[in-house]
Amino acid sequence: MCTKCGCSTGSTAQQQASGAAVAHHDAHPHHEHPHHHHEADERRVLEVHQSLLAKNEHQAWHNRERFQQKKIRVFNVLSSPGAGKTALLERTLADLGGTQRIGVIVGDLATDNDARRLRRPGVQVVQVSTGTVCHLEAAMVARACEQLDLNALDLLFIENVGNLVCPAAYDLGEEQRVVLLSVTEGEDKPLKYPTIFHNADVVLISKSDLASAVEFARATALANIHRMAPRARILEVSARTGAGLTAWYDLLTPRAVHV
Amino acid sequence: MHEVSLLESALELARAEATRQGARRIHRLTLRIGAMAGVVPEALSFAFEVVTQGTLAEGATLEVIDVPLQCVCELCAHAFSPPVYPCECPRCGHPRARVAQGRELELASLEVS
Ligand SMILES: Nc1nc2c(ncn2[C@@H]2O[C@H](COP(=O)(O)OP(=O)(O)O)[C@@H](O)[C@H]2O)c(=O)[nH]1
Ligand SMILES: [Mg+2]
Ligand SMILES: [Zn+2]
């Protein structure tokens, strides 16, 4: 089925890495039962050494391949609940919807409120209910893509489940990982969630219009983000006032002109 | 909890390997978990019982080997093990270090019969 990487099903990870059985003899010395060297209930250790994320990474690889073929730029958008992911995307759709063909995959535990906020003419929106699962996985994105016309997209946003821990481990096949930190959350958050910040390509300091009201310690926040995510682009934005969004739009569509 | 998803993956890998090797029961799963993997070990052991129920690993022991964080300085190549990320080089003070070890999320071995 999968000709690119040689996998048989498109879902099972490479399994050749598994090692040979190693007999575990210390409990039963050999000479006690020389004729039944491998009794059915003899305990033995199997060396495996396989990543728990191998299957997801394999699917993410396929997603990425597909997005690149279709020339779609894909952004995995992550944050705590309420940091402003949906608001940022609403504003982005309003501002860029006229010039870019945009799709959104929205992950949510139970409701479809966010999907309803994002739905508008000309924008393809797919809602993924994750139920009790606190993050999106590459396979969920692949299934959501079956409901999208990928040939008619320039940009695809994936609003992940609001959570700074679990989604960090799951590559979805995105081109860039965008992490939002709102000014109301506290400057030390990057230090508390190293994994998600470490893997960020872009960090957006959101709700910048509220910075002075909450006495946001800007310099400390910037220093903390820079320490945890040394390679990330850092932008300060407000979905409410539009401040800083030009730089965000430049990042989304580097070839387009927004001056 | 993504601990449940991770353990389901572990069990899927374990079941495939055990079956391939002709084993009928799994008595122990040994995982290697990096300090920066974003996993809470206590949450793992709690989820383990739920996930293994009614499987060939029911009643098995979960063993977790903690893999400490190890960084390598991008400037002077000094290797060191800070207690937590970020890794500032203790030798030259450079703030950027590559994480060489500590992201592991791996099924290391099984004990079967
Ligand atoms: N003042 C202000 N409020 C914002 C901004 N962005 C989002 N919010 C508010 O923050 C709350 C949560 O935003 P939402 O987009 O739903 O966050 P999400 O859970 O990350 O998707 C809502 O009440 C938004 O109106 C902003 O830039 N400025
Ligand atoms: Mg939202
Ligand atoms: Zn150094």
Side-chain angles (χ1 to χ4, degrees):
Chain A
M1 179 171 179
C2 167
T3 55
K4 291 288 190 302
C5 69
C7 68
S8 54
T9 63
S11 68
T12 311
Q14 298 88 319
Q15 298 185 326
Q16 295 91 299
S18 49
V22 178
H24 194 72
H25 291 305
D26 30 0
H28 300 285
H30 270 170
H31 55 83
E32 278 180 14
H33 30 230
H35 304 297
H36 304 282
H37 192 90
H38 288 290
E39 284 189 347
D41 61 354
E42 187 183 357
R43 293 203 181 185
R44 58 198 205 275
V45 174
L46 310 179
E47 298 292 330
V48 185
H49 299 292
Q50 290 182 48
S51 167
L52 305 188
L53 297 173
K55 188 173 165 185
N56 187 72
E57 271 154 25
H58 183 198
Q59 181 63 55
W61 188 89
H62 280 288
N63 290 356
R64 184 166 287 116
E65 174 97 341
R66 191 151 175 232
F67 296 143
Q68 283 171 355
Q69 261 172 16
K70 305 272 181 197
K71 298 193 166 39
I72 305 170
R73 304 198 68 203
V74 181
F75 298 83
N76 183 5
V77 183
L78 305 128
S79 78
S80 312
K85 298 180 295 301
T86 310
L88 174 78
L89 294 178
E90 283 181 280
R91 177 88 192 215
T92 303
L93 295 177
D95 290 348
L96 295 188
T99 54
Q100 301 287 315
R101 299 169 300 168
I102 307 178
V104 188
I105 295 173
V106 194
D108 210 327
L109 295 173
T111 73
D112 68 343
N113 295 344
D114 286 357
R116 259 188 285 124
R117 281 167 62 188
L118 293 163
R119 205 156 273 140
R120 66 199 65 214
V123 176
Q124 302 187 47
V125 180
V126 177
Q127 148 85 22
V128 179
S129 291
T130 57
T132 57
V133 180
C134 50
H135 58 272
L136 288 174
E137 297 188 9
M140 299 174 186
V141 169
R143 275 197 298 276
C145 283
E146 287 168 15
Q147 298 174 54
L148 292 169
D149 178 6
L150 295 181
N151 292 319
L153 285 184
D154 302 308
L155 297 174
L156 175 61
F157 296 102
I158 304 171
E159 178 174 339
N160 216 311
V161 180
N163 179 332
L164 283 180
V165 180
C166 311
Y170 293 88
D171 184 2
L172 304 179
E174 69 271 13
E175 178 186 315
Q176 301 206 27
R177 216 174 248 224
V178 182
V179 178
L180 273 70
L181 173 71
S182 71
V183 297
T184 57
E185 286 179 83
E187 303 71 25
D188 56 346
K189 250 201 178 158
L191 304 179
K192 292 184 187 157
Y193 299 94
T195 309
I196 205 150
F197 282 93
H198 183 68
N199 293 322
D201 299 299
V202 181
V203 176
L204 298 179
I205 300 177
S206 60
K207 308 191 190 181
S208 64
D209 57 293
L210 300 177
S212 58
V214 298
E215 296 181 21
F216 179 62
R218 181 173 179 273
T220 311
L222 286 171
N224 287 343
I225 295 168
H226 192 70
R227 274 175 81 197
M228 303 311 282
R231 284 164 202 80
R233 292 271 314 269
I234 306 172
L235 304 175
E236 296 166 72
V237 298
S238 167
R240 184 69 50 89
T241 66
L245 290 179
T246 306
W248 164 241
Y249 297 150
D250 284 345
L251 193 145
L252 297 175
T253 59
R255 280 161 308 235
V257 185
H258 315 276
V259 186
Chain B
M1 294 308 288
H2 79 313
E3 279 75 11
V4 172
S5 311
L6 290 174
L7 285 174
E8 279 169 350
S9 307
L11 192 62
E12 194 180 320
L13 294 173
R15 191 188 278 135
E17 184 62 19
T19 307
R20 192 164 29 246
Q21 303 285 349
R24 275 177 288 170
R25 276 187 58 64
I26 299 174
H27 301 280
R28 180 194 305 271
L29 275 88
T30 303
L31 305 183
R32 293 179 74 240
I33 306 287
M36 237 184 105
V39 169
V40 184
E42 297 83 75
L44 275 182
S45 27
F46 178 76
F48 185 68
E49 235 178 274
V50 179
V51 168
T52 53
Q53 232 162 56
T55 73
L56 75 173
E58 182 161 346
T61 308
L62 177 70
E63 182 182 38
V64 176
I65 300 173
D66 296 313
V67 182
L69 182 60
Q70 200 173 82
C71 294
V72 175
C73 177
E74 286 187 350
L75 207 64
C76 75
H78 180 53
F80 56 102
S81 288
V84 290
Y85 192 82
C87 319
E88 264 130 45
C89 178
R91 193 159 80 183
C92 73
H94 186 67
R96 291 193 189 189
R98 187 171 54 80
V99 176
Q101 179 193 285
R103 289 193 177 139
E104 290 76 0
L105 270 178
E106 175 188 288
L107 174 63
S109 64
L110 300 175
E111 189 177 313
V112 299
S113 66

